[in-house]
Amino acid sequence: MTAKQVNPGAPLSVHQSSRAIEWRISDAPVDYPQALEFMETRVEAIHAGTAPEMVWLLEHPPLYTAGTSADDNELLDANRFPVYRTGRGGRYTYHGPGQRIAYVMLDLSRRGNDVRGFVHDLEEWVIRTLAHFNVIGEVRDDRVGIWVRRGAPNNPASREDKIAAIGVRVRHWVTFHGVAINLEPDLEHFSGIVPCGISEHGVTSLWDLGLTPSGPELDSVLMSTFDEVFLTSSRHD
């Protein structure tokens, strides 16, 4: 399905058969507590069958979040930005302007009750999105997120940097939280934490890699690649 052109502030409905997924796209940064409250309310409504599944694309003002595995020693500058404890999986991460967040609220009871498969689909979604911009994103067994190689593999100066974070929570078999893709954030803001508990690797962004897509361009690709991954998987009914 080709993504429709929409006003970034307006919701978009994407249909497969008789089931709809609502897309919500926010222009202005959304306060984290407001986003969390919205997700929790929407999860209950999806579970009750009174609201459709949703993907919400947004940004937050600069802040740090601590997942369920967060180590306090990995918060290097507690006074720099607000810090929020959250029930998603993972450790500390940064959110801020220039980072596209996709909060994904899907009913896994319609999708085989497969949490591991859902996380794999999130990874595949980000990888396909990055591929549209000729960026090779990869996963690693020993660390979460999506990574890009910088330099030739056999070059001693080569490295791997993280370009997207993944953290999810599931309640009543309905997912929330999701992925964060670095479009053009201030990468120095990551220095106040040990991102996801990984100190031996860095962070990057599409703009840091020399690519300059706009936010609406990234949103359009996210919508089209979402269809490729989530609306065609054999786990879906």
Side-chain angles (χ1 to χ4, degrees):
M1 181 183 298
T2 301
K4 300 177 183 177
Q5 296 299 314
V6 296
N7 184 322
L12 167 70
S13 291
V14 179
H15 297 271
Q16 183 202 27
S17 302
S18 60
R19 188 164 75 243
I21 294 175
E22 180 183 350
W23 287 81
R24 177 173 179 165
I25 304 176
S26 296
D27 284 326
V30 179
D31 288 339
Y32 189 79
Q34 176 188 347
L36 187 59
E37 180 181 6
F38 177 90
M39 284 193 290
E40 290 179 340
T41 300
R42 187 60 173 245
V43 164
E44 295 298 330
I46 293 171
H47 174 62
T50 59
E53 297 172 306
M54 171 180 278
V55 180
W56 185 9
L57 303 179
L58 71 153
E59 292 181 348
H60 287 308
L63 58 91
Y64 298 129
T65 65
T68 54
S69 302
D71 183 334
D72 288 344
N73 293 326
E74 294 165 358
L75 179 60
L76 305 180
D77 188 350
N79 298 317
R80 184 168 194 182
F81 298 127
V83 180
Y84 296 96
R85 299 282 173 176
T86 178
R88 64 158 174 80
R91 298 166 90 160
Y92 280 102
T93 194
Y94 165 77
H95 294 313
Q99 182 188 70
R100 207 47 167 166
I101 296 169
Y103 286 141
V104 183
M105 290 154 271
L106 298 182
D107 187 351
L108 295 188
S109 67
R110 303 174 180 177
R111 300 161 184 272
N113 292 343
D114 187 350
V115 177
R116 196 178 291 267
F118 169 70
V119 173
H120 170 79
D121 284 349
L122 289 177
E123 294 170 340
E124 180 65 18
W125 182 30
V126 175
I127 288 170
R128 291 194 187 200
T129 297
L130 294 174
H132 181 88
F133 301 104
N134 296 316
V135 173
I136 299 174
E138 300 177 310
V139 295
R140 295 289 178 261
D141 291 338
D142 60 339
R143 43 193 148 100
V144 298
I146 305 300
W147 300 82
V148 295
R149 296 178 184 269
R150 311 292 298 271
N154 296 326
N155 186 332
S158 68
R159 67 182 194 271
E160 293 185 348
D161 289 342
K162 190 173 190 175
I163 196 168
I166 296 177
V168 302
R169 188 175 182 182
V170 180
R171 181 183 296 161
H172 308 307
W173 288 110
V174 180
T175 68
F176 55 125
H177 299 279
V179 305
I181 300 174
N182 295 334
L183 174 61
E184 52 167 338
D186 185 338
L187 296 179
E188 198 278 330
H189 288 179
F190 285 87
S191 66
I193 56 172
V194 179
C196 300
I198 300 170
S199 59
E200 63 270 29
H201 299 283
V203 291
T204 189
S205 68
L206 286 169
W207 281 50
D208 183 52
L209 294 172
L211 304 165
T212 58
S214 67
E217 286 175 320
L218 179 57
D219 290 348
S220 180
V221 176
L222 282 166
M223 286 187 279
S224 63
T225 53
F226 181 91
D227 290 359
E228 295 171 8
V229 175
F230 288 92
L231 303 188
T232 60
S233 171
S234 61
R235 288 187 294 274
H236 307 163
D237 60 307

